[in-house]
Amino acid sequence: MKKFFESLANVWKIEELKNRILLTLGLLLVYRFGAHVTLPGIDATQLHTLAGQTKNGIGSILDMFTGGAFSKASVFALGIMPYISASIVVQLMGIAIPYLQKLQKDGESGRKKINQITRWLTIVITLVQGPGYIYNLYRTLPSNAFLLGFDSFSFLFSSVLILTTGTIFAMWLGEKITDKGIGNGISLLIMVGILARLPQAFIQE
């Protein structure tokens, strides 16, 4: 045990590594903070029915991967799931589309183009999933939970825009952790979300 703490102390003495650790922790804290920021126009005190929807089934899984943001109607409610979906789609398309096959063989330049395609596809997927999430809120929450009106177009438009921005920002955080921090940023965001959700899951049990 003593050697373990000595190793940690030695790691902390390496300036670059210390900066990477601090950056990673800081960005993860930003992500966790955003998971608790409710979408504008929703009364946060009325979210108990939405939380009840995520106790079992696929809702529970989605809430687990977003660290509880899904059940909080957060700006990060969709998390980085659209980015993961886009990555899977691009990988599958790479089997059938010659252009993507060529990019996969082009080294670093090809990888950058594939990443750019994945980002744009992430936005498209979020724009599709966003209205679906808002529709679920309409079905789940009482009408008085919507401060701008139950079927307000301004609420729908602004919420989809915010959800899309939240996903893009979460994607940026993951990429920034990968480039400037420690480990794979997307994997760390998922892990932190799951760890944050586990205590609540045990309490519900």
Side-chain angles (χ1 to χ4, degrees):
M1 184 63 71
K2 182 179 178 180
K3 290 184 177 180
F4 174 74
F5 286 112
E6 288 178 353
S7 298
L8 286 180
N10 291 331
V11 166
W12 201 250
K13 292 177 182 177
I14 304 174
E15 190 67 23
E16 182 181 357
L17 188 55
K18 181 177 73 173
N19 292 337
R20 284 178 172 270
I21 293 173
L22 291 175
L23 176 66
T24 301
L25 292 176
L27 294 180
L28 291 176
L29 284 174
V30 170
Y31 180 67
R32 288 307 305 150
F33 174 78
H36 294 277
V37 178
T38 306
L39 286 169
I42 293 182
D43 184 358
T45 62
Q46 301 287 336
L47 293 176
H48 53 274
T49 53
L50 183 62
Q53 186 190 52
T54 59
K55 287 183 179 180
N56 300 300
I58 190 170
S60 175
I61 297 174
L62 290 173
D63 204 38
M64 181 73 74
F65 275 94
T66 59
F70 188 89
S71 62
K72 293 183 177 68
S74 161
V75 295
F76 286 157
L78 299 181
I80 43 86
M81 298 305 292
Y83 178 77
I84 295 173
S85 300
S87 299
I88 294 172
V89 170
V90 170
Q91 288 180 7
L92 292 176
M93 290 171 59
I95 300 175
I97 300 179
Y99 175 71
L100 291 177
Q101 292 176 354
K102 180 178 179 297
L103 290 180
Q104 291 174 348
K105 298 176 182 178
D106 283 347
E108 183 64 20
S109 61
R111 186 182 67 83
K112 289 182 179 179
K113 290 181 181 179
I114 290 177
N115 287 341
Q116 195 64 27
I117 293 172
T118 304
R119 294 187 189 106
W120 282 109
L121 185 57
T122 298
I123 295 175
V124 173
I125 292 175
T126 308
L127 290 174
V128 173
Q129 292 183 350
Y133 180 76
I134 301 303
Y135 176 70
N136 180 64
L137 294 182
Y138 284 148
R139 290 177 60 249
T140 307
L141 300 179
S143 58
N144 61 353
F146 300 92
L147 303 178
L148 299 178
F150 183 67
D151 287 326
S152 169
F153 174 77
S154 60
F155 170 74
L156 174 63
F157 178 80
S158 63
S159 295
V160 171
L161 183 62
I162 291 171
L163 288 172
T164 303
T165 304
T167 295
I168 294 173
F169 184 62
M171 177 177 63
W172 179 84
L173 288 175
E175 292 182 349
K176 186 61 66 174
I177 291 173
T178 301
D179 293 340
K180 305 291 186 180
I182 294 178
N184 183 283
I186 300 300
S187 298
L188 286 175
L189 293 181
I190 295 174
M191 182 192 73
V192 168
I194 293 175
L195 291 176
R197 185 66 175 77
L198 280 178
Q200 186 177 351
F202 284 125
I203 291 173
Q204 290 175 352
E205 290 292 333

